[in-house]
Amino acid sequence: MSVSDTVRLICPRGRKRSELWGGAALALLGVAGTVLSVVWLHWAGILIGPLVAVVGAWLIWDGYRIQVPVLEVEDGEFRYVRGRYIVRIPFADIGSYYVLPGATRSLGLCDPAGRPRQFPSVEGRRASRPYLPLTGLTSSARVDAFMAAVGIPPRDRSLTPGRRR
């Protein structure tokens, strides 16, 4: 990789898509239900239809607000961008990485000595955390491929150095 190349990993946005599409479907269903209930003069649809449309509009609004994490390496700098939250680390200050499993995958970075780096909290709830949150659909294999492409090795968690059997 040359110095001016940009390598980027955009995390899958499954929840964002599902909230946008589900909200649109609910909003259309609520509007259609209200219109049909007014035509047929049915009181239940007149009450429930606008409620379903409002819930659909709220889902669209909430899905639109979801920020998708992006990992980038460009000009000797590693960047993690999620909306207005940006972490910039000089590439030389990263020694290795590890991926935390779970419902929402997370990326941990270590300094060249092997100590985990601390990052300010994304949501502002805690003072710091030792990882950067990704999305639930982000596979470990994609993160491994991205890190291999930029030249960051995985963290060796073995207690004893040497050969593996």
Side-chain angles (χ1 to χ4, degrees), residues 36-84:
L36 290 175
S37 295
V38 168
V39 170
W40 292 331
L41 297 174
H42 196 272
W43 64 271
I46 295 172
L47 294 176
I48 295 174
L51 182 64
V52 171
V54 167
V55 169
W58 181 83
L59 275 174
I60 291 171
W61 176 75
D62 191 51
Y64 181 73
R65 289 185 326 122
I66 294 174
Q67 302 294 327
V68 179
V70 177
L71 303 174
E72 286 183 326
V73 173
E74 181 180 25
D75 296 331
E77 180 180 70
F78 176 88
R79 281 191 299 268
Y80 171 87
V81 180
R82 183 175 170 192
R84 294 185 305 155

Side-chain angles (χ1 to χ4, degrees), residues 58-128:
W58 181 83
L59 275 174
I60 291 171
W61 176 75
D62 191 51
Y64 181 73
R65 289 185 326 122
I66 294 174
Q67 302 294 327
V68 179
V70 177
L71 303 174
E72 286 183 326
V73 173
E74 181 180 25
D75 296 331
E77 180 180 70
F78 176 88
R79 281 191 299 268
Y80 171 87
V81 180
R82 183 175 170 192
R84 294 185 305 155
Y85 181 79
I86 300 172
V87 173
R88 292 183 171 152
I89 303 170
F91 194 72
D93 291 349
I94 300 174
S96 60
Y97 77 95
Y98 57 96
V99 179
L100 297 171
T104 301
R105 304 247 190 286
S106 298
L107 174 68
L109 298 174
C110 299
D111 62 7
R115 293 182 304 264
R117 292 186 60 96
Q118 294 291 322
F119 304 102
S121 177
V122 175
E123 303 294 330
R125 293 185 200 133
R126 290 177 267 177
S128 67

